[in-house]
Amino acid sequence: MNSRSVYDAAVIQFPRILDNRGNLTFIEARRHIPFDIARVYWIYDVPGGESRGSHAYRQLQEVIIALSGSLEVFLDDGMAQKVVTLNRAYYGLYVPNMIWRRMQQFSTNAVALVLASLPYSPEDYIRDYDQFKRMNGRQ
Ligand code: TYD
């Protein structure tokens, strides 16, 4: 079986240049991210209690970074679930394609930066959880 597992998702630690004037973190495209970055978007001004992105992608891979504040990423492969808390600007969560994921529990002023492997394509979304489970070979 070729299905994705939540254990394929992994936290990546980016370089940190600590400085009394303020810290600095950087990402180089082919060095720190396991795919070529095709698109960057960010989520901000999230009202308390709201969640975003309850779906999976057929092909898209992404890295999610809490640039400011904190949030949780809920991951589900149709069998196992995992919740990853992001609360430092030097961590990124790699999420492979074919993983159901939801961003939730945003703190006040949280900014979630998402690096994506493909341009925006509505056809790549799987928004029906039961269809996702069938496609990921878990049902
Ligand atoms: P979507 O990914 O559907 O967010 P969520 O799953 O949290 O509801 O994006 C919301 C809207 O934004 C959708 O109508 C399409 C648009 N959008 C773009 O045009 N380009 C993008 O890169 C993204 C991420 C979204």
Side-chain angles (χ1 to χ4, degrees):
M1 196 189 296
N2 218 0
S3 52
R4 291 282 181 196
S5 154
V6 290
Y7 301 105
D8 298 327
V11 172
I12 304 170
Q13 183 165 351
F14 303 125
R16 300 165 67 191
I17 313 294
L18 303 181
D19 192 306
N20 291 336
R21 299 169 300 160
N23 300 331
L24 183 152
T25 282
F26 61 92
I27 294 168
E28 290 181 3
R30 287 177 180 251
R31 195 164 148 213
H32 302 107
I33 302 296
F35 50 78
D36 287 335
I37 300 165
R39 176 167 54 109
V40 178
Y41 64 93
W42 46 101
I43 295 171
Y44 52 95
D45 291 348
V46 178
E50 287 291 350
S51 62
R52 299 285 323 226
S54 213
H55 51 69
Y57 299 109
R58 289 176 166 80
Q59 298 295 335
L60 182 88
Q61 306 167 67
E62 63 190 7
V63 169
I64 304 171
I65 304 164
L67 269 195
S68 172
S70 64
L71 67 136
E72 285 180 3
V73 185
F74 169 82
L75 303 169
D76 185 344
D77 60 25
M79 267 201 351
Q81 292 83 35
K82 186 161 97 167
V83 175
V84 178
T85 300
L86 295 173
N87 54 13
R88 293 282 182 264
Y90 52 85
Y91 284 131
L93 175 66
Y94 169 67
V95 183
N97 61 320
M98 291 305 292
I99 295 289
W100 192 268
R101 60 53 152 184
R102 181 170 67 236
M103 290 180 262
Q104 59 192 26
Q105 300 287 345
F106 287 80
S107 69
T108 307
N109 291 334
V111 179
L113 183 77
V114 184
L115 312 177
S117 65
L118 294 169
Y120 175 70
S121 164
E123 292 76 35
D124 194 49
Y125 283 62
I126 307 165
R127 294 190 180 274
D128 181 321
Y129 183 72
D130 290 331
Q131 181 193 3
F132 161 73
K133 265 179 102 160
R134 284 193 299 274
M135 290 176 69
N136 207 32
R138 305 284 174 167
Q139 198 177 327

